[in-house]
Amino acid sequence: MRKVSTGFVYFFGALGGLLFGYDTGVISGAILFIQKQMHLGSWQQGWVVSAVLLGAILGAAIIGPSSDRFGRRKLLLLSAIIFFVGALGSGFAAGFWTLIISRVILGMAVGAASALIPTYLAELSPADQRGKMSSLFQLMVMTGILFAYITNYAWAGIATGWRWMLGFAAIPAALLFLGGLVLPESPRFLVKMGHSDQAREVLDTMNKHNTPIVDKELSQIEEQAKMKNGGWTELFGKMVRPSLIIGLGLAIFQQVMGCNTVLYYAPTIFTDVGFGVNAALLAHIGIGIFNVIVTAIAVMIMDKIDRKKMLIGGAIGMGVSLFVMSIGMKFSGGSQAAAIISVIALTIYIAFFSATWGPVMWVMIGEVFPLNIRGLGNSFSSVINWSANMVVSLTFPALLNFFGTGSLFIGYGVLCFLSIWFVKVKVFETRNRSLEEIEATLREKAGVGEENLSSAK
């Protein structure tokens, strides 16, 4: 293994999350100026915004599963190149269709990152630190969103500011590629490829030279790496079904709870309750800073609290906050107190999301799938997550017009409470368990022996 520190590995391994957050968040400010310069109609504006989501679905579907064949690190480098090309293409776009194509390319890298990085970090991390290290991805996402808010505000007064906003992402993309050149490959993938000596070096570094743990983990990986790579039959088979239900359920609920709509709608909420436009943009930056702080706290406690408890507690806090915010918004037109309550409830909602469902979903989909289909399983869950994101984003304006803000957010709150049932009934705990122990439990429950693992239906 190349002589690099564990901190370097985790930072650059998660850096794709920063690009993920930046490229999905920056368009909220840039579209105001793109619309004016390109004279876009509402339909065209919608496509400029959602093109990244379409690309993300394609990237997660195409690039993610390839990591089972070509390795996590190589595909991470490819994602960095796609990020770079998409960012520059967006910044230099000459017209509507050039911008759309560039945004789709950019989205492919975003989707690939969402499918690759949780798996890569989970496979590198020791069991007792896996939650913390895997949730660095979400911390990077929130940091990227904050950078997007800051650049939106900084370049808002420049005629070509939107080009700088979109093109700026090329810089961290280049850093991701350079850092990726010296990142180690996943020890799980190395063992699958017959490079156990290299895998031992990586495990030795990541476990800080704890030989007994390295020996035990390597032995477990070697045993389970004997299975050939699985495909769709294995993904939908009996043994993997509990993992698939968790991956799909968490991916869908994370979106239908209204997280992105609340984040995107925050400036409008601030203006609706009496903030000026500049004050609303500054308040949005404040929310971004708050997001990063709360997510950083979540990273620190991720391995101290059970994943299921975090999900249930987060859902309760988010649901209650949405109900309070909805009631406050119904009366905010004639009451300053109700307006202030709405803003406070919105802030609390975001805090609960950033501390629980935001990072925990990505951590768990990197943990629950067996080694021989981990890339495919994580990719499929990411595709569902991005598809749900796109459905929620596209339906939000129409639902908003039909129900109004107060009633619509009550609907999202109901879905928060429905997720509690799902977590209690369908989700199993993964904290402080090695990936191999999780897989062994799946095999035991399905009654599948080692020799029959890849053919379990």
Side-chain angles (χ1 to χ4, degrees):
M1 175 181 172
R2 301 168 181 83
K3 300 299 181 181
V4 294
S5 69
T6 55
F8 179 95
V9 172
Y10 290 130
F11 175 80
F12 279 96
L15 186 58
L18 186 143
L19 286 157
F20 175 144
Y22 185 89
D23 288 319
T24 54
V26 73
I27 196 64
S28 62
I31 191 62
L32 300 175
F33 307 98
I34 295 171
Q35 182 271 331
K36 291 179 181 178
Q37 290 192 15
M38 292 189 177
H39 308 289
L40 303 181
S42 57
W43 178 85
Q44 291 174 309
Q45 292 180 55
W47 270 110
V48 170
V49 173
S50 60
V52 161
L53 302 180
L54 176 61
I57 294 171
L58 296 174
I62 297 170
I63 298 176
S66 302
S67 67
D68 284 333
R69 181 177 179 184
F70 299 106
R72 322 302 189 206
R73 175 177 165 271
K74 290 179 181 177
L75 272 298
L76 196 62
L77 288 169
L78 176 61
S79 298
I81 295 172
I82 299 173
F83 268 125
F84 187 82
V85 172
L88 288 185
S90 299
F92 287 102
F96 171 71
W97 285 109
T98 309
L99 181 59
I100 290 296
I101 293 170
S102 298
R103 294 277 294 165
V104 171
I105 292 172
L106 196 61
M108 290 184 68
V110 170
S114 70
L116 287 169
I117 294 174
T119 298
Y120 180 70
L121 293 175
E123 292 187 340
L124 280 174
S125 307
D128 62 346
Q129 299 180 43
R130 192 174 60 245
K132 179 171 69 173
M133 298 311 172
S134 297
S135 58
L136 285 176
F137 173 69
Q138 182 69 13
L139 178 59
M140 284 289 194
V141 171
M142 291 303 174
T143 303
I145 290 174
L146 173 60
F147 283 167
Y149 294 164
I150 293 173
T151 55
N152 282 346
Y153 185 79
W155 284 314
I158 304 175
T160 57
W162 68 268
R163 296 188 181 277
W164 289 96
M165 294 173 192
L166 299 182
F168 180 77
I171 296 176
L175 291 176
L176 174 61
F177 181 82
L178 294 174
L181 292 174
V182 294
L183 286 176
E185 181 52 86
S186 158
R188 272 79 180 174
F189 180 78
L190 288 171
V191 170
K192 282 204 315 184
M193 295 295 103
H195 304 302
S196 292
D197 289 343
Q198 295 178 36
R200 176 179 287 277
E201 291 181 23
V202 176
L203 289 170
D204 189 57
T205 298
M206 304 312 292
N207 286 278
K208 298 182 179 179
H209 313 293
N210 190 323
T211 302
I213 290 180
V214 170
D215 290 341
K216 178 183 177 182
E217 194 165 353
L218 184 61
S219 176
Q220 291 175 331
I221 295 171
E222 288 176 334
E223 188 63 32
Q224 294 180 348
K226 294 176 182 177
M227 282 80 72
K228 64 180 181 180
N229 279 349
W232 294 104
T233 300
E234 287 74 26
L235 181 63
F236 290 97
K238 178 181 178 182
M239 192 197 84
V240 184
R241 196 166 299 141
S243 301
L244 186 63
I245 290 172
I246 290 174
L248 300 189
L250 295 183
I252 292 171
F253 272 114
Q254 192 205 48
Q255 293 301 319
V256 300
M257 289 172 170
C259 58
N260 284 321
T261 59
V262 171
L263 287 171
Y264 296 155
Y265 197 62
T268 306
I269 292 176
F270 287 135
T271 56
D272 283 351
V273 299
F275 283 70
V277 174
N278 285 337
L281 287 174
L282 284 174
H284 210 195
I285 292 175
I287 285 181
I289 295 172
F290 185 61
N291 256 334
V292 172
I293 293 172
V294 172
T295 307
I297 294 172
V299 169
M300 301 308 296
I301 66 173
M302 187 64 67
D303 291 307
K304 295 179 173 64
I305 302 175
D306 287 348
R307 315 274 197 257
K308 291 184 65 172
K309 290 181 180 178
M310 292 185 72
L311 291 171
I312 292 171
I316 294 172
M318 291 161 64
V320 172
S321 299
L322 285 175
F323 286 160
V324 173
M325 185 175 78
S326 298
I327 295 170
M329 291 182 72
K330 283 181 178 292
F331 297 99
S332 61
S335 168
Q336 185 178 8
I340 293 173
I341 289 172
S342 297
V343 172
I344 293 174
L346 178 145
T347 306
I348 293 173
Y349 168 90
I350 292 174
F352 273 106
F353 175 80
S354 298
T356 59
W357 278 83
V360 174
M361 189 282 287
W362 293 112
V363 169
M364 291 199 74
I365 67 170
E367 295 176 320
V368 295
F369 290 101
L371 175 62
N372 67 329
I373 58 163
R374 188 165 293 142
L376 178 61
N378 205 333
S379 170
F380 190 60
S381 299
S382 297
V383 167
I384 296 301
N385 183 260
W386 284 110
S387 299
N389 186 338
M390 192 167 188
V391 169
V392 171
S393 298
L394 289 175
T395 58
F396 178 70
L399 292 174
L400 186 64
N401 289 334
F402 185 79
F403 291 106
T405 52
S407 299
L408 179 57
F409 286 120
I410 286 177
Y412 291 138
V414 170
L415 290 170
C416 288
F417 286 105
L418 182 59
S419 73
I420 296 172
W421 169 85
F422 174 80
V423 172
K424 285 186 174 182
V425 176
K426 299 296 184 181
V427 176
F428 57 77
E429 188 55 56
T430 58
R431 185 175 72 95
N432 282 341
R433 302 175 65 196
S434 72
L435 300 178
E436 289 66 42
E437 289 171 345
I438 294 170
E439 182 172 341
T441 300
L442 289 170
R443 186 169 59 249
E444 181 181 345
K445 288 184 177 180
V448 181
E450 293 283 352
E451 68 280 1
N452 299 318
L453 181 58
S454 63
S455 61
K457 300 293 189 295

